[in-house]
Amino acid sequence: MDSPRARSFIEKRDTERGAFEIRSEHVDQLTVENFSLVTGENCKMKNLVLFVLMTFGSATFISPSFAGPTGQTTPLGIDPEAAIHYRSMKVDGVDVFYREAGPLNAPVLLLLHGFPTSSQMFRDLIPRLSDKYHIVAPDYPGFGYSAAPDRSQFAYTFQNYANIVDKLMQQLNLAHYALYVMDYGAPVGFRLATMHPDRVTAIVVQNGNAYDEGIGSFWDGIKAYWKTGAPKEREGIRWLMTYKATHWQYTNGVRDVTLVSPDAATVDQALLDRPGNQEIQLDLFYDYRTNIPLYPEWQAYFRKHQPPMLIVWGQNDEIFIAPGAKPYQRDIPSAEIHMIDTGHFALETNGPEIASLMRDFLDRKVSANRQ
C-alpha cells in the first residue's frame, strides 16, 4: 500500500501552467475508507479495493523531466504528448481531478462523464484521439478521484458542476473546446454551452438527453421523488447505487457481454460505496429535475448557434432511450446521427467505432476550421 509507485501518484510535480499537487491526504483517505469497507463481512469489496490498489501500483506516471520534443520518445520509449497525465487542481476550494493528454497547442476536447462513473469511462477513448487533440476529462466533485465535500458545505447540483467545470477550463487557460457529453455530462455540457456559446467548437452527444422523447419508464421512480422530495421516495431509488444496478447499466442492451470489461463497474462501485456518497448521488437524482425545464433553452441554443454535432447513441439504452436522438435534427438539421446496437455505456463495447467516427467528425468540423 505504501509502494514507491503508489507514492509517486501523490508527489507534487510541475507543469507549464505551474505547480500542482494531488493531495496525499485525499488519496490516503480514499484508500483508508475503501479498506474500512472490507474489514467486515463484505468480501466483494475486498476485490474492488485490490483492483484499485493494483491500478495505482502498476501505473507509470511520467514526470516532466522525461519530456522531449513533439513526436520523439523519452528514454523510457514513451511519446510525452501521447501520455495520459493524472492531475488535480483546486477550483473554488475543491480538489478536482482530471485526466489530460495530447499536444497543448491542439484543438481542445472536453470529455464529460455520466453516472455512476467518472473520467475512467474515457480510459480507452483518450489514447485513440490524443495524437491530434488536447483532451481534458474531469471528475465532478463526489465522483472518481475528485474530492467529495460534505453536503452541508457543497451544493451537489448540475449548475454547480457546470460552474466548477467552467472555472477549471478558465484556470487551465482553455478558451475554446469541443464537448463530449454523456448521461450527466449532457446537462453539465449544455449549461456550459448556453453560458458561453462562443467557446464551444463542436458537440459529440453519446446517450445524453435534451428532449422529452429521451426520457423513458426508467425515470418513473425518480419522477416520483421529484414530485414529493420526501424520504419515502428517496429511499425508493436508493437501489440505483447498488452493484446490481451499476452492473446492469454496463450490460443491459449489450449484444455480447464478454466485450464489457468488469473493471469499470468494479471501480465505479468501490467509489459509490464510500461513506456518505449515496446521499450525494440521491441529491443529484433530485436535482436532475432542474434539467427538464431547461430543454427549451438548450434547444434554442442549438437553433441559434448551429454547433457542429455528432450523435452516437446506444440504441438499446433504457435510461436515455433511442427516441431521444432524432429530435436533435429538428434544431440542427446538419447533425450527424449514428445509432449503435449496444446499451448505455457504448464506449465499453464500441469504443474503436466511436473513436473513428469522432476523429472523422472533429477533423472535418474542428481541425479544418483552425487551418
Side-chain angles (χ1 to χ4, degrees):
M1 187 166 122
D2 192 29
S3 68
R5 284 179 177 170
R7 286 196 301 272
S8 73
F9 181 76
I10 60 175
E11 288 174 355
K12 185 182 291 184
R13 49 181 87 85
D14 296 325
T15 69
E16 293 181 7
R17 304 185 185 92
F20 76 92
E21 182 179 11
I22 298 179
R23 294 171 56 198
S24 59
E25 59 267 31
H26 173 56
V27 176
D28 291 344
Q29 182 184 18
L30 172 66
T31 304
V32 170
E33 286 179 351
N34 282 341
F35 265 103
S36 71
L37 292 170
V38 303
T39 54
E41 297 179 356
N42 193 348
C43 297
K44 183 185 296 184
M45 288 306 301
K46 183 174 183 179
N47 292 329
L48 307 186
V49 177
L50 288 175
F51 174 82
V52 173
L53 294 180
M54 284 189 293
T55 300
F56 286 160
S58 62
T60 302
F61 300 93
I62 308 303
S63 78
S65 62
F66 289 105
T70 303
Q72 296 185 14
T73 58
T74 68
L76 295 179
I78 298 171
D79 181 349
E81 289 194 340
I84 302 176
H85 299 268
Y86 305 88
R87 293 177 166 149
S88 183
M89 180 175 287
K90 277 196 177 296
V91 180
D92 284 350
V94 178
D95 287 324
V96 176
F97 174 90
Y98 62 100
R99 299 167 197 247
E100 186 173 25
L104 295 180
N105 62 349
V108 178
L109 175 59
L110 174 60
L111 308 178
L112 298 175
H113 69 80
F115 168 86
T117 188
S118 65
S119 62
Q120 72 93 13
M121 72 169 280
F122 304 117
R123 64 198 180 280
D124 295 324
L125 180 66
I126 293 172
R128 290 182 173 126
L129 298 173
S130 60
D131 61 320
K132 293 189 65 175
Y133 295 94
H134 178 187
I135 299 175
V136 177
D139 292 350
Y140 317 132
F143 288 84
Y145 302 120
S146 286
D150 187 270
R151 295 161 59 234
S152 65
Q153 304 297 319
F154 182 87
Y156 286 95
T157 68
F158 288 91
Q159 186 58 55
N160 208 13
Y161 280 172
N163 293 339
I164 289 284
V165 174
D166 182 32
K167 291 176 182 179
L168 172 68
M169 298 303 279
Q170 292 183 45
Q171 290 175 206
L172 293 174
N173 296 315
L174 300 176
H176 299 92
Y177 43 80
L179 289 168
Y180 180 112
V181 299
M182 185 268 177
D183 190 87
Y184 277 11
V188 175
F190 294 152
R191 277 176 159 87
L192 282 175
T194 53
M195 288 161 59
H196 306 294
D198 57 315
R199 298 183 186 178
V200 177
T201 59
I203 303 175
V204 178
V205 178
Q206 190 256 294
N207 296 75
N209 200 53
Y211 296 88
D212 291 336
E213 292 93 325
I215 300 290
S217 60
F218 170 87
W219 291 86
D220 290 350
I222 301 170
K223 288 179 180 179
Y225 182 34
W226 295 347
K227 186 175 181 179
T228 68
K232 179 182 177 180
E233 284 71 29
R234 184 178 176 97
E235 290 304 310
I237 61 171
R238 190 177 291 274
W239 67 272
L240 291 169
M241 274 68 70
T242 64
Y243 178 76
K244 182 178 180 180
T246 300
H247 184 262
W248 176 86
Q249 287 204 48
Y250 277 97
T251 57
N252 185 62
V254 172
R255 287 179 301 153
D256 182 358
V257 296
T258 67
L259 294 174
V260 179
S261 169
D263 300 346
T266 297
V267 172
D268 289 350
Q269 194 63 41
L271 298 174
L272 281 175
D273 286 343
R274 289 174 292 177
N277 195 266
Q278 285 193 7
E279 302 310 317
I280 289 171
Q281 304 305 330
L282 289 167
D283 287 353
L284 285 165
F285 275 121
Y286 187 62
D287 189 68
Y288 198 92
R289 76 195 191 285
T290 66
N291 296 322
I292 311 301
L294 294 180
Y295 284 0
E297 180 181 346
W298 301 344
Q299 294 159 15
Y301 157 77
F302 299 151
R303 289 192 297 272
K304 179 179 179 180
H305 294 278
Q306 294 293 303
M309 181 173 285
L310 171 68
I311 299 164
V312 286
W313 202 285
Q315 65 187 21
N316 307 322
D317 187 4
E318 293 188 35
I319 299 172
F320 293 114
I321 57 178
K326 183 67 175 176
Y328 282 99
Q329 286 184 328
R330 289 202 300 255
D331 298 312
I332 306 177
S334 63
E336 304 172 22
I337 300 180
H338 297 266
M339 304 303 291
I340 300 175
D341 188 10
T342 192
H344 188 63
F345 283 105
L347 283 175
E348 295 296 316
T349 54
N350 295 75
E353 177 184 357
I354 292 172
S356 178
L357 290 169
M358 288 179 64
R359 179 179 287 274
D360 172 70
F361 170 76
L362 293 171
D363 287 354
R364 287 185 285 112
K365 302 297 185 178
V366 176
S367 294
N369 292 334
R370 292 182 95 223
Q371 297 174 357

